[in-house]
mmCIF file of all heavy atoms in Angstrom:
data_model
loop_
_atom_site.group_PDB
_atom_site.id
_atom_site.type_symbol
_atom_site.label_atom_id
_atom_site.label_comp_id
_atom_site.label_asym_id
_atom_site.label_seq_id
_atom_site.Cartn_x
_atom_site.Cartn_y
_atom_site.Cartn_z
ATOM 1 N N GLU C 287 78.935 117.799 86.005
ATOM 2 C CA GLU C 287 79.892 118.229 84.983
ATOM 3 C C GLU C 287 79.886 117.169 83.855
ATOM 4 O O GLU C 287 80.190 116.020 84.142
ATOM 5 C CB GLU C 287 81.271 118.383 85.533
ATOM 6 C CG GLU C 287 82.277 118.985 84.519
ATOM 7 C CD GLU C 287 83.624 119.333 85.149
ATOM 8 O OE1 GLU C 287 84.492 118.403 85.183
ATOM 9 O OE2 GLU C 287 83.785 120.502 85.629
ATOM 10 N N LEU C 288 79.519 117.587 82.705
ATOM 11 C CA LEU C 288 79.246 116.614 81.620
ATOM 12 C C LEU C 288 80.382 116.508 80.606
ATOM 13 O O LEU C 288 80.952 117.525 80.191
ATOM 14 C CB LEU C 288 77.921 117.048 80.882
ATOM 15 C CG LEU C 288 77.462 116.091 79.739
ATOM 16 C CD1 LEU C 288 75.924 115.846 79.905
ATOM 17 C CD2 LEU C 288 77.769 116.714 78.402
ATOM 18 N N PHE C 289 80.627 115.280 80.127
ATOM 19 C CA PHE C 289 81.540 114.971 79.090
ATOM 20 C C PHE C 289 80.703 114.197 78.030
ATOM 21 O O PHE C 289 80.037 113.208 78.396
ATOM 22 C CB PHE C 289 82.696 114.083 79.586
ATOM 23 C CG PHE C 289 83.600 113.509 78.492
ATOM 24 C CD1 PHE C 289 84.687 114.154 78.082
ATOM 25 C CD2 PHE C 289 83.221 112.285 77.898
ATOM 26 C CE1 PHE C 289 85.497 113.644 77.099
ATOM 27 C CE2 PHE C 289 84.028 111.760 76.901
ATOM 28 C CZ PHE C 289 85.151 112.405 76.519
ATOM 29 N N CYS C 290 80.783 114.607 76.778
ATOM 30 C CA CYS C 290 80.048 113.956 75.743
ATOM 31 C C CYS C 290 80.894 113.830 74.492
ATOM 32 O O CYS C 290 81.528 114.780 74.055
ATOM 33 C CB CYS C 290 78.778 114.809 75.423
ATOM 34 S SG CYS C 290 77.669 114.099 74.150
ATOM 35 N N LYS C 291 80.992 112.604 73.986
ATOM 36 C CA LYS C 291 81.822 112.337 72.830
ATOM 37 C C LYS C 291 81.062 111.473 71.863
ATOM 38 O O LYS C 291 80.395 110.513 72.257
ATOM 39 C CB LYS C 291 83.085 111.698 73.248
ATOM 40 C CG LYS C 291 84.016 111.293 72.069
ATOM 41 C CD LYS C 291 85.269 110.561 72.604
ATOM 42 C CE LYS C 291 86.174 110.075 71.534
ATOM 43 N NZ LYS C 291 87.353 109.367 72.002
ATOM 44 N N TRP C 292 81.047 111.819 70.567
ATOM 45 C CA TRP C 292 80.302 111.114 69.581
ATOM 46 C C TRP C 292 81.116 110.757 68.393
ATOM 47 O O TRP C 292 82.184 111.407 68.085
ATOM 48 C CB TRP C 292 79.016 111.859 69.157
ATOM 49 C CG TRP C 292 79.206 113.194 68.635
ATOM 50 C CD1 TRP C 292 79.414 113.542 67.317
ATOM 51 C CD2 TRP C 292 79.244 114.458 69.368
ATOM 52 N NE1 TRP C 292 79.589 114.918 67.187
ATOM 53 C CE2 TRP C 292 79.462 115.444 68.459
ATOM 54 C CE3 TRP C 292 79.104 114.746 70.739
ATOM 55 C CZ2 TRP C 292 79.601 116.772 68.822
ATOM 56 C CZ3 TRP C 292 79.182 116.053 71.087
ATOM 57 C CH2 TRP C 292 79.439 117.112 70.159
ATOM 58 N N SER C 293 80.718 109.769 67.617
ATOM 59 C CA SER C 293 81.397 109.302 66.409
ATOM 60 C C SER C 293 80.710 109.724 65.148
ATOM 61 O O SER C 293 79.451 109.573 65.022
ATOM 62 C CB SER C 293 81.512 107.783 66.465
ATOM 63 O OG SER C 293 81.933 107.303 65.236
ATOM 64 N N TYR C 294 81.446 110.290 64.191
ATOM 65 C CA TYR C 294 80.933 110.566 62.868
ATOM 66 C C TYR C 294 81.368 109.427 61.947
ATOM 67 O O TYR C 294 80.924 109.372 60.750
ATOM 68 C CB TYR C 294 81.606 111.829 62.327
ATOM 69 C CG TYR C 294 81.086 113.128 62.930
ATOM 70 C CD1 TYR C 294 81.936 113.999 63.567
ATOM 71 C CD2 TYR C 294 79.743 113.466 62.832
ATOM 72 C CE1 TYR C 294 81.439 115.175 64.070
ATOM 73 C CE2 TYR C 294 79.276 114.570 63.385
ATOM 74 C CZ TYR C 294 80.141 115.459 63.966
ATOM 75 O OH TYR C 294 79.636 116.685 64.512
ATOM 76 N N GLY C 295 82.218 108.523 62.368
ATOM 77 C CA GLY C 295 82.702 107.456 61.497
ATOM 78 C C GLY C 295 83.561 107.958 60.384
ATOM 79 O O GLY C 295 84.363 108.904 60.584
ATOM 80 N N GLU C 296 83.405 107.460 59.160
ATOM 81 C CA GLU C 296 84.225 107.910 58.021
ATOM 82 C C GLU C 296 83.660 109.123 57.313
ATOM 83 O O GLU C 296 84.298 109.649 56.467
ATOM 84 C CB GLU C 296 84.260 106.714 57.028
ATOM 85 C CG GLU C 296 84.900 105.441 57.559
ATOM 86 C CD GLU C 296 84.858 104.326 56.567
ATOM 87 O OE1 GLU C 296 85.101 104.641 55.319
ATOM 88 O OE2 GLU C 296 84.614 103.199 56.934
ATOM 89 N N CYS C 297 82.571 109.627 57.751
ATOM 90 C CA CYS C 297 81.946 110.749 57.064
ATOM 91 C C CYS C 297 82.619 112.079 57.475
ATOM 92 O O CYS C 297 82.663 112.285 58.719
ATOM 93 C CB CYS C 297 80.402 110.823 57.361
ATOM 94 S SG CYS C 297 79.516 109.305 56.850
ATOM 95 N N THR C 298 83.064 112.856 56.561
ATOM 96 C CA THR C 298 83.832 114.019 56.939
ATOM 97 C C THR C 298 83.401 115.287 56.162
ATOM 98 O O THR C 298 84.046 116.319 56.206
ATOM 99 C CB THR C 298 85.307 113.770 56.600
ATOM 100 O OG1 THR C 298 85.479 113.469 55.160
ATOM 101 C CG2 THR C 298 85.926 112.647 57.341
ATOM 102 N N ASP C 299 82.256 115.270 55.496
ATOM 103 C CA ASP C 299 81.815 116.399 54.719
ATOM 104 C C ASP C 299 80.593 117.085 55.332
ATOM 105 O O ASP C 299 79.751 117.567 54.626
ATOM 106 C CB ASP C 299 81.536 115.990 53.294
ATOM 107 C CG ASP C 299 80.477 114.923 53.210
ATOM 108 O OD1 ASP C 299 80.164 114.357 54.298
ATOM 109 O OD2 ASP C 299 79.981 114.661 52.103
ATOM 110 N N PHE C 300 80.530 117.127 56.704
ATOM 111 C CA PHE C 300 79.329 117.683 57.404
ATOM 112 C C PHE C 300 79.640 119.174 57.757
ATOM 113 O O PHE C 300 80.727 119.621 57.638
ATOM 114 C CB PHE C 300 79.100 116.932 58.658
ATOM 115 C CG PHE C 300 78.707 115.483 58.455
ATOM 116 C CD1 PHE C 300 79.241 114.494 59.325
ATOM 117 C CD2 PHE C 300 77.943 115.042 57.442
ATOM 118 C CE1 PHE C 300 78.949 113.209 59.223
ATOM 119 C CE2 PHE C 300 77.592 113.730 57.297
ATOM 120 C CZ PHE C 300 78.094 112.791 58.158
ATOM 121 N N ASP C 301 78.573 119.864 58.074
ATOM 122 C CA ASP C 301 78.658 121.211 58.685
ATOM 123 C C ASP C 301 78.888 120.988 60.117
ATOM 124 O O ASP C 301 77.984 120.917 60.934
ATOM 125 C CB ASP C 301 77.357 121.983 58.387
ATOM 126 C CG ASP C 301 77.474 123.387 58.874
ATOM 127 O OD1 ASP C 301 78.318 123.693 59.749
ATOM 128 O OD2 ASP C 301 76.690 124.269 58.372
ATOM 129 N N PHE C 302 80.183 120.898 60.536
ATOM 130 C CA PHE C 302 80.578 120.518 61.887
ATOM 131 C C PHE C 302 80.105 121.554 62.897
ATOM 132 O O PHE C 302 79.648 121.221 64.030
ATOM 133 C CB PHE C 302 82.090 120.324 61.973
ATOM 134 C CG PHE C 302 82.543 119.117 61.131
ATOM 135 C CD1 PHE C 302 83.407 119.342 60.121
ATOM 136 C CD2 PHE C 302 82.148 117.856 61.426
ATOM 137 C CE1 PHE C 302 83.912 118.277 59.358
ATOM 138 C CE2 PHE C 302 82.585 116.790 60.714
ATOM 139 C CZ PHE C 302 83.489 117.054 59.664
ATOM 140 N N ASP C 303 80.162 122.857 62.539
ATOM 141 C CA ASP C 303 79.710 123.944 63.461
ATOM 142 C C ASP C 303 78.213 123.724 63.776
ATOM 143 O O ASP C 303 77.811 123.803 64.927
ATOM 144 C CB ASP C 303 79.967 125.261 62.878
ATOM 145 C CG ASP C 303 81.463 125.712 62.939
ATOM 146 O OD1 ASP C 303 82.188 125.116 63.740
ATOM 147 O OD2 ASP C 303 81.780 126.632 62.183
ATOM 148 N N CYS C 304 77.426 123.500 62.715
ATOM 149 C CA CYS C 304 75.971 123.364 62.860
ATOM 150 C C CYS C 304 75.628 122.165 63.737
ATOM 151 O O CYS C 304 74.805 122.242 64.668
ATOM 152 C CB CYS C 304 75.326 123.314 61.553
ATOM 153 S SG CYS C 304 73.531 123.107 61.619
ATOM 154 N N ILE C 305 76.256 121.022 63.454
ATOM 155 C CA ILE C 305 76.020 119.822 64.211
ATOM 156 C C ILE C 305 76.394 119.901 65.686
ATOM 157 O O ILE C 305 75.656 119.525 66.603
ATOM 158 C CB ILE C 305 76.717 118.599 63.563
ATOM 159 C CG1 ILE C 305 76.200 118.315 62.141
ATOM 160 C CG2 ILE C 305 76.603 117.347 64.446
ATOM 161 C CD1 ILE C 305 76.932 117.285 61.353
ATOM 162 N N TRP C 306 77.535 120.515 65.934
ATOM 163 C CA TRP C 306 78.019 120.655 67.261
ATOM 164 C C TRP C 306 77.036 121.518 68.111
ATOM 165 O O TRP C 306 76.652 121.230 69.216
ATOM 166 C CB TRP C 306 79.424 121.258 67.357
ATOM 167 C CG TRP C 306 80.067 121.239 68.702
ATOM 168 C CD1 TRP C 306 80.796 120.229 69.248
ATOM 169 C CD2 TRP C 306 79.950 122.236 69.709
ATOM 170 N NE1 TRP C 306 81.125 120.605 70.532
ATOM 171 C CE2 TRP C 306 80.676 121.852 70.858
ATOM 172 C CE3 TRP C 306 79.340 123.519 69.724
ATOM 173 C CZ2 TRP C 306 80.755 122.588 71.983
ATOM 174 C CZ3 TRP C 306 79.490 124.305 70.901
ATOM 175 C CH2 TRP C 306 80.211 123.828 71.997
ATOM 176 N N SER C 307 76.587 122.627 67.514
ATOM 177 C CA SER C 307 75.658 123.507 68.184
ATOM 178 C C SER C 307 74.305 122.821 68.452
ATOM 179 O O SER C 307 73.686 122.982 69.470
ATOM 180 C CB SER C 307 75.422 124.802 67.358
ATOM 181 O OG SER C 307 76.611 125.542 67.203
ATOM 182 N N LYS C 308 73.915 122.023 67.479
ATOM 183 C CA LYS C 308 72.568 121.307 67.584
ATOM 184 C C LYS C 308 72.661 120.285 68.710
ATOM 185 O O LYS C 308 71.783 120.065 69.502
ATOM 186 C CB LYS C 308 72.255 120.598 66.265
ATOM 187 C CG LYS C 308 70.874 120.009 66.240
ATOM 188 C CD LYS C 308 70.553 119.529 64.873
ATOM 189 C CE LYS C 308 69.077 118.895 64.789
ATOM 190 N NZ LYS C 308 68.776 118.455 63.418
ATOM 191 N N ILE C 309 73.861 119.567 68.812
ATOM 192 C CA ILE C 309 73.992 118.590 69.859
ATOM 193 C C ILE C 309 74.024 119.249 71.222
ATOM 194 O O ILE C 309 73.404 118.762 72.205
ATOM 195 C CB ILE C 309 75.286 117.700 69.648
ATOM 196 C CG1 ILE C 309 75.050 116.820 68.420
ATOM 197 C CG2 ILE C 309 75.643 116.890 70.867
ATOM 198 C CD1 ILE C 309 76.263 116.039 68.049
ATOM 199 N N ARG C 310 74.749 120.383 71.322
ATOM 200 C CA ARG C 310 74.709 121.140 72.599
ATOM 201 C C ARG C 310 73.355 121.557 72.991
ATOM 202 O O ARG C 310 73.004 121.519 74.160
ATOM 203 C CB ARG C 310 75.674 122.379 72.451
ATOM 204 C CG ARG C 310 75.875 123.058 73.749
ATOM 205 C CD ARG C 310 76.856 124.231 73.581
ATOM 206 N NE ARG C 310 77.135 124.913 74.814
ATOM 207 C CZ ARG C 310 76.324 125.817 75.362
ATOM 208 N NH1 ARG C 310 75.169 126.153 74.794
ATOM 209 N NH2 ARG C 310 76.647 126.390 76.542
ATOM 210 N N GLU C 311 72.525 121.971 72.020
ATOM 211 C CA GLU C 311 71.145 122.363 72.312
ATOM 212 C C GLU C 311 70.340 121.174 72.769
ATOM 213 O O GLU C 311 69.492 121.260 73.706
ATOM 214 C CB GLU C 311 70.474 122.949 71.047
ATOM 215 C CG GLU C 311 71.003 124.332 70.650
ATOM 216 C CD GLU C 311 70.490 124.758 69.310
ATOM 217 O OE1 GLU C 311 69.667 124.009 68.758
ATOM 218 O OE2 GLU C 311 70.851 125.860 68.852
ATOM 219 N N CYS C 312 70.661 119.979 72.203
ATOM 220 C CA CYS C 312 69.936 118.789 72.656
ATOM 221 C C CYS C 312 70.248 118.432 74.133
ATOM 222 O O CYS C 312 69.394 117.997 74.875
ATOM 223 C CB CYS C 312 70.278 117.590 71.746
ATOM 224 S SG CYS C 312 69.534 117.614 70.116
ATOM 225 N N ILE C 313 71.563 118.592 74.435
ATOM 226 C CA ILE C 313 71.996 118.292 75.808
ATOM 227 C C ILE C 313 71.309 119.211 76.780
ATOM 228 O O ILE C 313 70.738 118.713 77.782
ATOM 229 C CB ILE C 313 73.507 118.508 75.925
ATOM 230 C CG1 ILE C 313 74.297 117.459 75.183
ATOM 231 C CG2 ILE C 313 73.942 118.501 77.423
ATOM 232 C CD1 ILE C 313 75.774 117.719 75.029
ATOM 233 N N LEU C 314 71.228 120.508 76.510
ATOM 234 C CA LEU C 314 70.528 121.436 77.394
ATOM 235 C C LEU C 314 69.033 121.163 77.482
ATOM 236 O O LEU C 314 68.400 121.160 78.576
ATOM 237 C CB LEU C 314 70.773 122.849 76.932
ATOM 238 C CG LEU C 314 72.236 123.328 76.803
ATOM 239 C CD1 LEU C 314 72.285 124.779 76.392
ATOM 240 C CD2 LEU C 314 72.951 123.088 78.111
ATOM 241 N N GLU C 315 68.403 120.828 76.350
ATOM 242 C CA GLU C 315 66.987 120.520 76.341
ATOM 243 C C GLU C 315 66.725 119.269 77.111
ATOM 244 O O GLU C 315 65.751 119.212 77.956
ATOM 245 C CB GLU C 315 66.501 120.383 74.895
ATOM 246 C CG GLU C 315 64.989 120.037 74.748
ATOM 247 C CD GLU C 315 64.651 119.736 73.314
ATOM 248 O OE1 GLU C 315 65.395 120.169 72.398
ATOM 249 O OE2 GLU C 315 63.550 119.167 73.078
ATOM 250 N N ALA C 316 67.433 118.220 76.882
ATOM 251 C CA ALA C 316 67.148 116.955 77.615
ATOM 252 C C ALA C 316 67.464 117.059 79.086
ATOM 253 O O ALA C 316 66.712 116.432 79.909
ATOM 254 C CB ALA C 316 68.015 115.851 76.977
ATOM 255 N N PHE C 317 68.462 117.811 79.442
ATOM 256 C CA PHE C 317 68.747 117.983 80.910
ATOM 257 C C PHE C 317 67.663 118.764 81.653
ATOM 258 O O PHE C 317 67.301 118.418 82.712
ATOM 259 C CB PHE C 317 70.104 118.691 81.035
ATOM 260 C CG PHE C 317 70.537 118.920 82.508
ATOM 261 C CD1 PHE C 317 71.251 117.935 83.162
ATOM 262 C CD2 PHE C 317 70.241 120.120 83.154
ATOM 263 C CE1 PHE C 317 71.657 118.076 84.491
ATOM 264 C CE2 PHE C 317 70.597 120.271 84.479
ATOM 265 C CZ PHE C 317 71.281 119.311 85.130
ATOM 266 N N SER C 318 67.203 119.844 81.018
ATOM 267 C CA SER C 318 66.347 120.734 81.756
ATOM 268 C C SER C 318 64.888 120.497 81.571
ATOM 269 O O SER C 318 64.059 120.780 82.509
ATOM 270 C CB SER C 318 66.700 122.165 81.305
ATOM 271 O OG SER C 318 66.505 122.315 79.947
#
């Protein structure tokens, strides 16, 4: 069971939905 937390720092003008989905895809790719 995985817990993953990352820092964006002071940057707040990102496409958060896109980044979150991309990180989730990275987790699945790296695991499998």
Side-chain angles (χ1 to χ4, degrees):
E287 186 174 87
L288 182 135
F289 171 93
C290 181
K291 178 181 176 181
W292 57 89
S293 167
Y294 288 122
E296 300 177 37
C297 301
T298 59
D299 57 349
F300 299 140
D301 185 338
F302 296 116
D303 285 342
C304 179
I305 295 173
W306 190 88
S307 297
K308 189 173 182 180
I309 290 176
R310 188 178 182 278
E311 290 173 2
C312 287
I313 292 171
L314 302 183
E315 177 185 343
F317 180 87
S318 57

